Amino acid sequence: MTDTTGSLNVGGTELKLPIREGSIGPAVMDIQTLYKNTGLFTYDPGFTSTASCESKITFIDGDEGVLLYRGYPIDDLAEHGDFLETSYLLLHGELPTSAQKAEFDRLVTRHTMVHEQMSRFYSGFRRDAHPMAVLCGVVGALSAFYHDSTDITDPAQREIAAIRMIAKIPTLAAMAYKYSIGQPFVYPQNSLDFAANFLNMCFAVPCEEYKVNPVLARAMDRIFTLHADHEQNASTSTVRLAGSSGANPFACIAAGIACLWGPAHGGANEAALKMLSEIGTPDNVDKYVKKAKDKNDPFRLMGFGHRVYKNYDPRAKIMQKTCHEVLGELGIKDDPLLEVAIQLEQIALKDDYFVEKKLYPNIDFYSGITLKAMGFPTDMFTVLFAVARTVGWVAQWKEMVEDPGQKIGRPRQLYTGSPRRDYTSISQRR
Ligand code: SDX
C-alpha cells in the first residue's frame, strides 16, 4: 500500500496532506492536521465522504455489489458456512479450524443462559411494549450483572464479554418475544445449534414437544450470517463512538440497538413489510411508486436504496433465494406480499427515477416476508437483525479498543447560532 501526498490550497496557503491507500477500495486523505494548520474543520454531516476509522473486518464495494467479511464473499459464507463460523471469522480474522470451531461453539453454547434475575426486568415492561424497547433495556442491564467482564483494558475480560454478548443476545431476544405474547420463557437447549436453539426459545411451549424444522433453522442461520456486519453503518458507528469513551461493552451494544431501531436503518425490515401490506395488491404498486418519486411526498420505498450499494445488495439476492426456500418448505403459495414485492421490484428496477438514483432492493426488502412466514410478528424483525449484528458490533468494538491509536471520538461543528450577547433580566424582556 503506497502512500502519496495530496495538497489543499487554503487562502493561498498550500497544505500537504498524506493520502493513504487501503488494501482494496478508496484511498483516504488524512486530514488530522487540517484544523491545527488552517483553523478549518471539514464539513460532512452524513459522513458521505468521511472514513471514521481504519478497519480490517468488512469491506463493501457499492458499485460492484460486493460484501466481504475478512476478505471472504458473503455468498460463500452464507452458502457453505454457518453463523458461528462467521462470528469466529469476524472476531478473530481467520476461518476457524475444526477444533477452533468446536471450542467456539462449545463456549457460546455454554453462555446462552442469562442470570435468573434478568427475567424480572421483563415484568417491568407493558406486554405490548415494542420488543426493541425491551431489548435496549435488558441489554444495558447486563452491565449490572457481569462486573467481571466490564474492564475493557483486560484482554481476557474483553474476550469473555464478547462471548457473553453473542451467546446471550438470542436468549434475551427470545425472552422479549415470549413476554410480548404472554408465554413462559424457554431456556436454551445446549443440544441445539445457535439458530435451532433460537427458534426453540421463540416457538417451543411447555405443553408439547417442539421439533425445530431443519430447513427453517438453516434459513434462520443464513439470515443471521447475512446481517452479521456491514462496515461503519449507523449502529456500528454508534457502538464505536460509545466505546471510544471507555464505556463497557454491554452499554455500547445497547446504544447500537437503539440506533438500529430507526426505520432508515435496521427498522426498515419492519417498515418494508408494513409498506407491502399497505400496498396490498400488485394493482396498487404504480400508485406507490409514484408517491415514492414525488419530492413533496415523504413516502419512500422501504427496503430500497442504500448509502453504499449503488448496485444490487448482494445480501438481498441471497435473502430472496432464502425467501423462496422458506415459503416452499411451508407450502405457502401465492403469498400476496411476495406478489406485491416481485411486482414492485420489477417496476422500480425499470423506472428512470430508481435507475438514475441507483436505488435497488436492499437486505430489508425480502427479509420481512421470510420472517413473517417463519412465524415472527413484524415488530420482532429488527430484534432479529440485532441478534445477528451483535457479533459485528462486538468485533468492531474490540478492533477499536485494541487500536493503539484509539482516542475518544469528539466531532466539531459549523456554528451558525447567535454570537455572544449580554444577559437581560426577565423584567427587561419584551
Ligand atoms: C440498512 O449503512 C448500512 O450498511 C445499513 C445496512 C446495514 O447492514 O447496516 O445495510 C442496513 O439500514 C439498509 C437500508 C434500510 N433502509 C431502508 O430501506 C429505508 C429506505 N431507504 C432510504 O431511506 C435510503 O435509501 C437510505 C437511508 C437507505 C440511504 O439514504 P442516503 O444514502 O442518505 O440517500 P439519500 O436519502 O440522500 O437518497 C438519495 C436520493 C434522494 O433523492 P434526491 O434528494 O437526490 O432527489 O434517492 C432518494 C432520495 O429521495 N431515495 C429514495 C429512496 N432512497 C433514497 N426515494 C424513494 N425511495 C427510497 N427508498
Side-chain angles (χ1 to χ4, degrees), residues 230 233 263-265 268 292 295 300-307 315 353 357 359 362 364 385 389:
H230 215 237
N233 58 85
H265 187 16
K295 292 313 295 165
R300 286 196 167 181
L301 290 186
M302 302 314 280
F304 262 80
H306 198 277
R307 171 63 59 78
R315 304 169 297 176
Y353 175 93
K357 294 180 189 298
L359 301 174
N362 58 47
D364 297 302
F385 195 150
R389 186 53 57 88

Side-chain angles (χ1 to χ4, degrees), residues 83 135 169-170 173 194 198 224 382-391:
F83 176 65
L135 199 65
I169 193 81
F194 188 90
F198 179 67
F224 287 148
T382 311
V383 170
L384 302 179
F385 195 150
V387 169
R389 186 53 57 88
T390 291
V391 66

Side-chain angles (χ1 to χ4, degrees), residues 134-404:
V134 175
L135 199 65
C136 269
V138 295
V139 169
L142 285 176
S143 329
F145 285 81
Y146 297 106
H147 299 291
D148 62 340
S149 61
T150 51
D151 173 1
I152 63 164
T153 61
D154 177 351
Q157 291 196 36
R158 289 201 296 268
E159 203 56 38
I160 185 62
I163 293 292
R164 278 175 167 154
M165 204 59 257
I166 294 161
K168 296 182 192 306
I169 193 81
T171 309
L172 295 172
M175 289 167 75
Y177 172 54
K178 284 304 204 186
Y179 184 74
S180 73
I181 56 174
Q183 287 188 1
F185 298 142
V186 174
Y187 285 97
Q189 288 299 319
N190 290 355
S191 59
L192 298 173
D193 68 28
F194 188 90
N197 180 46
F198 179 67
L199 292 179
N200 189 62
M201 289 191 289
C202 288
F203 298 120
V205 287
C207 332
E208 59 189 26
E209 195 199 355
Y210 176 75
K211 293 282 295 153
V212 178
N213 178 324
V215 174
L216 300 191
R218 179 74 191 118
M220 188 80 263
D221 188 274
R222 194 182 304 142
I223 291 169
F224 287 148
T225 295
L226 293 177
H227 287 80
D229 194 49
H230 215 237
E231 281 192 8
Q232 306 311 317
N233 58 85
S235 53
T236 297
S237 300
T238 301
V239 171
R240 277 180 172 261
L241 198 55
S244 73
S245 74
N248 75 70
F250 305 110
C252 295
I253 300 303
I257 292 171
C259 177
L260 185 74
W261 194 358
H265 187 16
N269 50 21
E270 178 176 355
L273 198 86
K274 285 182 178 154
M275 174 194 74
L276 293 174
S277 308
E278 188 188 330
I279 294 173
T281 68
D283 310 344
N284 287 338
V285 165
D286 282 333
K287 182 176 86 178
Y288 280 85
V289 168
K290 277 200 190 73
K291 279 171 63 69
K293 290 158 58 175
D294 179 355
K295 292 313 295 165
N296 302 316
D297 190 328
F299 175 79
R300 286 196 167 181
L301 290 186
M302 302 314 280
F304 262 80
H306 198 277
R307 171 63 59 78
V308 180
Y309 288 123
K310 300 309 171 191
N311 194 323
Y312 215 98
D313 180 340
R315 304 169 297 176
K317 281 200 185 100
I318 303 167
M319 200 63 244
Q320 188 185 42
K321 180 170 160 271
T322 304
C323 182
H324 287 295
E325 274 172 19
V326 166
L327 295 184
E329 171 66 17
L330 296 172
I332 299 174
K333 297 199 177 11
D334 330 316
D335 179 325
L337 294 181
L338 183 62
E339 300 281 304
V340 172
I342 291 169
Q343 177 85 346
L344 182 55
E345 184 180 12
Q346 283 169 354
I347 291 178
L349 293 186
K350 291 197 196 82
D351 186 290
D352 291 346
Y353 175 93
F354 293 90
V355 173
E356 276 152 31
K357 294 180 189 298
K358 299 183 177 179
L359 301 174
Y360 292 89
N362 58 47
I363 189 162
D364 297 302
F365 189 63
Y366 283 103
S367 56
I369 299 169
T370 313
L371 297 173
K372 177 174 179 289
M374 291 174 77
F376 291 104
T378 314
D379 62 9
M380 272 294 289
F381 293 177
T382 311
V383 170
L384 302 179
F385 195 150
V387 169
R389 186 53 57 88
T390 291
V391 66
W393 289 330
V394 167
Q396 300 266 355
W397 166 80
K398 222 165 143 278
E399 182 179 64
M400 185 265 309
V401 169
E402 291 165 2
D403 174 355

